[in-house]
Amino acid sequence: MDPGGWLDAPAEGSHTLLDLRFRPRMNIYVDEYDHEASFIMATELSNQTGKWWYFDTDSLDYSIDMADRTVAKGTINLNESSPTEANFSLNGITPRFDPYEVKLTAVASSPKSNTSYIYISQFYYLPLQNSTGSTVRLDSLYGGISPYSTDHGRWINLFPYAYYVNWGGWLEDSLSNLEEYANLGYNLLHFVPEGGSTPFNVTTLNNYLDRCDELGLWVMYDMRWTYQNESLVTEQVNMLKTRKSLLLWYTGDEPDGAVDPQDATQKSGDHIRSLDPYHPISLCLNCYNYYYEAYSSGADILLSDVYPVGINATFSTVWNTTCNATYGDCGCDDCEGKWEDISVRLDRFAQYDKWLERSIPKTLWGVPQAFGEESYWPRYPTSDEEILMNTLSINHNAKAIVMWTFPTHADIANTTGLFAKALSADTVTDYLTGANAEKVTASGVDRVDVAQWTLSSSGTSLISVVYLGDEDTFDTVRIPLLNPMSVMTIWGKAEWILNGDEGLVKEGLTKNEVSIIFVESGSASGEGEYHGKPLGDEESLDDN
């Protein structure tokens, strides 16, 4: 039986379409914290999505109107690969809780006619909070999450790296367990509530949150059991929304897999925003393609929990049935039991947003598997496999990692603790949150996944290499790079060299090998510019 809910690609037509996505760069701007704002206009010519296009011109003249004034004008170059960003001053715009309606008028000109394309968006310019609680926003251009730091007087870049942590049976047993977790280097705590209408003892919860405030440990608050109950959501949000350590809310945990009402996440998300517009909302989807539009609509951030380690992808060892696109449960929906299941799912979620013509794409976070010896999963991942799954998610634009679940095996906890320290270094975080991952095609070895992040202000790129092969290889892998000058290893074996026109080169790769590298590039004159202080080869955190 076909369960329905499958999202198909839009039909390809014979006409060219202008696909223009218009949105504020940040999901919120805040009085006193922000004096300027910007809008993003991402364009491409398509034969699947968008509005009819029949011009020879390669540009559009635009104007943006909001609050009874024109706030920005300019030109969109359709040949540019990067979106156009229009900056404007917030001077004279009144902060308020209701969004401003914004109109973009983009005009295409030809010798025969002018045509205007109209797009509408919403803009949030909020009053300053009347509390000492946190204020957190999302960047719709690169997907990063940024809390405002009153100590530094600016929004700070954050790459959350964490686990779902068992509350009952471990964390609530002792505050020393919270200290143990924080000391490993994780910067976010997602504690998993027990069921029922009262998932936490309020006194105990507040004692833990007080300690999180003191430790500077961010909190992802989980309402999986109560998110469909408006009164319980109201009670929890009003109790916690002014907390210093609150980073974001978490509502549905696999609502698609549980077949929750399809409007449940949207209703919950709208209600939470009415109570607290200062923190993003997240949820985790379990299915490959099951009513994606409905279940994803209630969140700003989507988590993807693909667990391929040790599964039988074609026959359910739990239910003794086959598994295919419409039947059976093998612990990983529409998976093949390969590492690529992780990257395919993240890429598909991004593709679905394009098909749905969402002007604001969902920010994606990864949920790698850190458990085993239960149900569909006969074994735990090794520590090397854990880092592989983490990094593969990051390579495919996951802007945070929240592993399931803690406590885990000691070797996994210790290795991911080291990895947390590598990712949380300011320089690494700036690249992961200040750019999108760009795919780089390696040669010489199959199943090598490579991503590159480059900041416009820097002559240096962050390169991440993940080897997905099932066995060691002695073949040479080559990664093409433009005019590389020097290489510094942040994670992995410090054996990469620069070899002229071949770019970045390494002789052989071990099974599950991961490397994270800074590569400094030069200009045509051979002069390069480098910003930041990444670890040198001799300081690689995983030089094994």
Side-chain angles (χ1 to χ4, degrees):
M1 182 185 74
D2 184 353
W6 191 270
L7 178 64
D8 290 312
E12 295 186 2
S14 58
H15 298 285
T16 301
L17 304 173
L18 172 65
D19 188 344
L20 192 155
R21 312 293 170 97
F22 171 59
R23 60 185 182 268
R25 171 151 183 189
M26 304 299 173
N27 70 319
I28 60 170
Y29 293 87
V30 180
D31 187 31
E32 296 190 27
Y33 293 169
D34 296 301
H35 304 288
E36 291 186 342
S38 66
F39 289 102
I40 297 298
M41 292 157 283
T43 59
E44 66 174 316
L45 296 180
S46 169
N47 64 351
Q48 287 183 296
T49 55
K51 301 179 180 182
W52 276 58
W53 177 261
Y54 41 87
F55 296 94
D56 292 331
T57 181
D58 59 2
S59 65
L60 292 162
D61 294 324
Y62 72 85
S63 63
I64 301 173
D65 294 294
M66 182 181 73
D68 300 320
R69 72 191 73 181
T70 298
V71 296
K73 288 183 175 181
T75 301
I76 302 169
N77 188 339
L78 300 179
N79 293 326
E80 292 289 338
S81 58
S82 300
T84 299
E85 185 168 9
N87 300 290
F88 65 98
S89 172
L90 291 170
N91 186 38
I93 297 176
T94 303
R96 66 188 197 188
F97 289 104
D98 291 332
Y100 285 93
E101 182 175 283
V102 189
K103 183 173 78 170
L104 167 68
T105 304
V107 180
S109 299
S110 73
K112 295 182 179 180
S113 66
N114 293 337
T115 297
S116 295
Y117 295 86
I118 306 297
Y119 301 87
I120 303 297
S121 186
Q122 291 186 325
F123 180 83
Y124 283 88
Y125 181 38
L126 300 176
L128 188 68
Q129 285 203 78
N130 294 321
S131 73
T132 58
S134 60
T135 300
V136 184
R137 72 182 185 187
L138 289 174
D139 179 358
S140 75
L141 181 58
Y142 298 127
I145 191 168
S146 297
Y148 189 84
S149 169
T150 54
D151 293 336
H152 296 88
R154 61 180 175 85
W155 300 95
I156 59 173
N157 295 327
L158 180 69
F159 188 90
Y161 189 77
Y163 281 85
Y164 290 78
V165 179
N166 290 328
W167 175 262
W170 190 75
L171 189 62
E172 71 169 340
D173 291 348
S174 173
L175 273 171
S176 64
N177 289 337
L178 177 62
E179 309 271 353
E180 175 188 335
Y181 176 83
N183 288 338
L184 283 168
Y186 312 117
N187 58 11
L188 175 71
L189 175 67
H190 181 147
F191 39 85
V192 180
E194 297 181 290
S197 59
T198 308
F200 302 104
N201 176 285
V202 173
T203 300
T204 304
L205 173 64
N206 279 301
N207 288 338
Y208 275 78
L209 294 176
D210 287 343
R211 189 63 183 128
C212 288
D213 289 347
E214 295 165 0
L215 292 169
L217 183 63
W218 292 105
V219 171
M220 184 176 188
Y221 186 75
D222 191 322
M223 293 184 280
R224 65 179 63 199
W225 306 116
T226 56
Y227 86 96
Q228 296 184 62
N229 186 315
E230 186 172 297
S231 62
L232 292 177
V233 169
T234 300
E235 179 182 331
Q236 292 172 91
V237 171
N238 285 338
M239 178 177 66
L240 300 174
K241 66 184 181 181
T242 58
R243 273 285 175 179
K244 179 181 177 182
S245 54
L246 178 65
L247 188 71
L248 74 164
W249 305 106
Y250 183 89
T251 58
D253 185 74
E254 302 183 345
D256 50 349
V259 199
D260 289 352
Q262 290 175 33
D263 61 353
T265 67
Q266 182 70 65
K267 287 181 176 178
S268 178
D270 290 345
H271 182 58
I272 293 170
R273 290 186 188 93
S274 73
L275 301 169
D276 174 28
Y278 295 97
H279 298 93
I281 300 167
S282 65
L283 59 82
C284 184
L285 292 183
N286 171 245
C287 298
Y288 177 81
N289 187 344
Y290 183 67
Y291 292 104
Y292 173 85
E293 181 176 13
Y295 286 117
S296 66
S297 62
D300 308 295
I301 297 169
L302 297 182
L303 289 88
S304 170
D305 59 351
V306 174
Y307 304 144
V309 176
I311 66 166
N312 183 329
T314 59
F315 185 83
S316 177
T317 57
V318 174
W319 303 104
N320 293 319
T321 65
T322 58
C323 293
N324 54 44
T326 61
Y327 185 78
D329 182 359
C330 284
C332 191
D333 190 40
D334 277 9
C335 292
E336 297 182 27
K338 299 165 57 177
W339 303 124
E340 287 87 350
D341 293 329
I342 296 168
S343 52
V344 166
R345 186 74 56 87
L346 288 165
D347 292 347
R348 292 292 282 184
F349 283 0
Q351 185 67 61
Y352 297 159
D353 282 350
K354 292 194 69 174
W355 291 351
L356 293 169
E357 300 190 56
R358 283 176 167 164
S359 60
I360 303 176
K362 303 297 182 181
T363 292
L364 300 178
W365 288 15
V367 184
Q369 177 181 347
F371 68 95
E373 298 175 4
E374 61 177 86
S375 190
Y376 309 96
W377 305 276
R379 69 174 181 88
Y380 275 73
T382 67
S383 57
D384 284 345
E385 289 173 337
E386 189 64 45
I387 298 304
L388 179 151
M389 291 186 287
N390 276 242
T391 313
L392 184 60
S393 300
I394 295 169
N395 280 11
H396 290 261
N397 270 317
K399 294 299 180 175
I401 295 294
V402 189
M403 293 162 277
W404 182 276
T405 173
F406 198 93
T408 184
H409 278 180
D411 59 335
I412 296 176
N414 291 332
T415 302
T416 55
L418 289 173
F419 201 54
K421 294 177 176 65
L423 296 181
S424 63
D426 287 344
T427 309
V428 176
T429 295
D430 287 348
Y431 280 80
L432 296 179
T433 61
N436 284 320
E438 298 179 3
K439 180 178 175 60
V440 179
T441 302
S443 62
V445 177
D446 293 333
R447 299 183 73 193
V448 178
D449 193 280
V450 185
Q452 174 177 337
W453 296 260
T454 304
L455 299 182
S456 59
S457 61
S458 173
T460 303
S461 294
L462 182 69
I463 309 291
S464 171
V465 186
V466 182
Y467 177 48
L468 308 175
D470 297 324
E471 56 186 25
D472 297 353
T473 179
F474 297 101
D475 294 334
T476 300
V477 60
R478 298 173 177 83
I479 300 173
L481 297 174
L482 180 63
N483 200 17
M485 293 178 59
S486 62
V487 58
M488 305 177 202
T489 301
I490 300 299
W491 183 272
K493 298 179 179 180
E495 298 173 353
W496 292 91
I497 61 171
L498 298 176
N499 189 10
D501 294 337
E502 289 186 315
L504 200 59
V505 176
K506 187 173 184 295
E507 297 290 340
L509 294 167
T510 58
K511 180 181 176 181
N512 305 325
E513 183 172 335
V514 170
S515 296
I516 301 178
I517 308 155
F518 274 109
V519 176
E520 183 180 4
S521 298
S523 63
S525 62
E527 296 176 352
E529 181 182 15
Y530 174 63
H531 298 270
K533 296 179 180 179
L535 301 173
D537 289 353
E538 71 283 356
E539 299 176 281
S540 173
L541 287 174
D542 184 42
D543 191 0
N544 54 15

